[in-house]
Structures are given as C-alpha cells and as structure tokens.
Amino acid sequence: MESNEKIVDYQLPGKTIKFKIVEDVEALITDPNDPDKVPCWAELWPAAKAMALHIWERLDFTDKTVLELGCGLGLPGITAGLKGGKVTFSDFNEDAVNMALNNARLNDIKDYDSYVGDWRSFDLDTRYDVILASDICYDPKLNTYLERIFMDNLRSNGALIVSHHNRPDTIQLLDSLKNKGSWSEAIYYKTITVANSLFPYYAITINELTKL
C-alpha cells in the first residue's frame, strides 16, 4: 500500500503535524457489498478534524491513558499524544492501526500502544482515563457493542469524548448511555472547512461525558 500513500502537513493552531494519508481510497476497496471491507478508516473525516482541534485548544492529557476507538489514520489520538496522553490506537482493521502508529512516530510521540479488535468481540479489559470516539456511533447494529465498551473500559471520573454529525442513531446511543449511568456533560460545537465545492462546511458536535 506504500505506493498509495503520501505525507502531508496538517495544520493545528501554532502546530504542524506530519501526517501520512491514502491518496486513492477507492483503490483499497475489495468488496463494496461488505461493510467490513469498505476502507472508511482511510479517509480523514471532518469529525476527526473537529475532535483534534478541540483537544488541541482545550484539553490537557498529561499522565492520562487514552483509548482511540476506530482510530483510522489516528489524528485525534496523535493530538491527544501531543497533549501528554499515553494513547492506545484501536481499530478492527490492522492497516488502519499500522497507519496510525506510523503517524504517531512521524510526530515523535513516544508513549503509545495499539489494539486490533472488533467491537463485537472486544476483549480489551483495560480501563482508560479518556475514550475518544470520532464519528463512529452511526450504525445501530454496532452501537450496542460501543455502549458496552464505553461502560466497561472507562474509569470512574474518566471522560468519553464523542464527535459527530448529530445523526439520530448517535443521539440515541448517547441518550441510552446517560440513562444507564451517572454522567456530567459538556457540549461544544465546531465548524470544519473542507476542500469540497458542494459541501465546504461541516457542523460538528462534540459531547464530553464524564463518568461519575
């Protein structure tokens, strides 16, 4: 896949991140009828950009353990690492995890780990200070598994940070989660600009839920 990759500069306020991306995502598709074979991980999505910006501007993860679920290319997790966190990059696709780890090394992040695993058979038993979930809570068939991970793998007083496009299934998952536990919540909003003449602006919501 290396011939289909390139390194670009990604800008955060006052910080340039070296970032490896996939040039032709469609070339990675092996079976368009199988959702598990569609390489959504290879795109750099607006919600990931919004979460990275939110982390960079507002949060300090010094001495905190961070789990990025569905890490894809790893932008939010890398930003969390730059803000002091020990990050576990997790995805069910091994290529995604390898790409995220390469991007972490490109930015001189030293304290990181990885986990390759499907949410439907998630056997990671570590509890984290922070869980990052960037635009992954959109499939009702998978949200039940994500809810269990959020409950089981987040420490007391830990923070779940979800960035999303306000899809109904995402809102339903967040409401279900809040009904099953005691949480405090803060909500933030980001507008992300992309190089697309049809849809140049994306309104992203970021929910920070702290487990009490």
Side-chain angles (χ1 to χ4, degrees):
M1 193 175 68
E2 290 185 4
S3 62
N4 192 19
E5 301 170 359
K6 69 175 180 179
I7 296 174
V8 299
D9 288 342
Y10 185 84
Q11 300 295 330
L12 291 169
K15 178 68 176 180
T16 299
I17 294 178
K18 292 293 183 182
F19 205 69
K20 183 177 286 189
I21 64 170
V22 176
E23 288 195 274
D24 184 3
V25 176
E26 291 187 0
L28 302 180
I29 298 174
T30 57
D31 183 356
N33 296 314
D34 183 349
D36 287 347
K37 300 289 181 61
V38 177
C40 294
W41 64 268
E43 296 276 5
L44 185 54
W45 299 101
K49 295 179 179 181
M51 182 178 284
L53 183 59
H54 176 74
I55 291 169
W56 183 251
E57 292 180 332
R58 300 189 63 94
L59 301 176
D60 180 8
F61 290 153
T62 301
D63 297 325
K64 292 183 181 294
T65 56
V66 181
L67 172 65
E68 183 178 11
L69 290 169
C71 66
L73 300 174
L75 179 61
I78 288 164
T79 310
L82 292 171
K83 297 301 292 285
K86 178 182 179 179
V87 181
T88 297
F89 295 93
S90 173
D91 204 291
F92 87 101
N93 188 299
E94 190 171 3
D95 287 336
V97 172
N98 288 336
M99 183 77 89
L101 295 180
N102 284 334
N103 281 331
R105 288 188 285 267
L106 279 174
N107 291 281
D108 296 321
I109 294 173
K110 309 298 184 185
D111 204 1
Y112 61 83
D113 201 350
S114 65
Y115 173 79
V116 178
D118 194 310
W119 301 331
R120 293 163 290 195
S121 55
F122 204 76
D123 61 0
L124 189 63
D125 58 7
T126 307
R127 289 182 177 265
Y128 293 85
D129 297 308
V130 181
I131 293 179
L132 306 179
S134 172
D135 200 19
I136 62 173
C137 308
Y138 56 82
D139 187 341
K141 296 189 299 297
L142 297 176
N143 282 352
T144 299
Y145 301 100
L146 280 172
E147 183 176 310
R148 179 180 59 81
I149 294 169
F150 296 157
M151 295 294 292
D152 291 349
N153 291 92
L154 188 65
R155 289 178 176 169
S156 295
N157 298 313
L160 168 64
I161 305 174
V162 181
S163 61
H164 57 95
H165 296 265
N166 286 296
R167 296 183 180 95
D169 288 314
T170 303
I171 301 302
Q172 183 177 6
L173 171 57
L174 292 173
D175 287 343
S176 174
L177 192 66
K178 287 181 281 188
N179 288 333
K180 292 180 180 177
S182 182
W183 304 81
S184 65
E185 183 179 25
I187 302 176
Y188 304 90
Y189 303 95
K190 295 285 186 188
T191 300
I192 297 299
T193 303
V194 299
N196 185 316
S197 60
L198 295 178
F199 300 102
Y201 303 105
Y202 286 83
I204 305 298
T205 300
I206 299 171
N207 294 74
E208 280 190 23
L209 288 87
T210 300
K211 189 177 184 181
L212 302 179

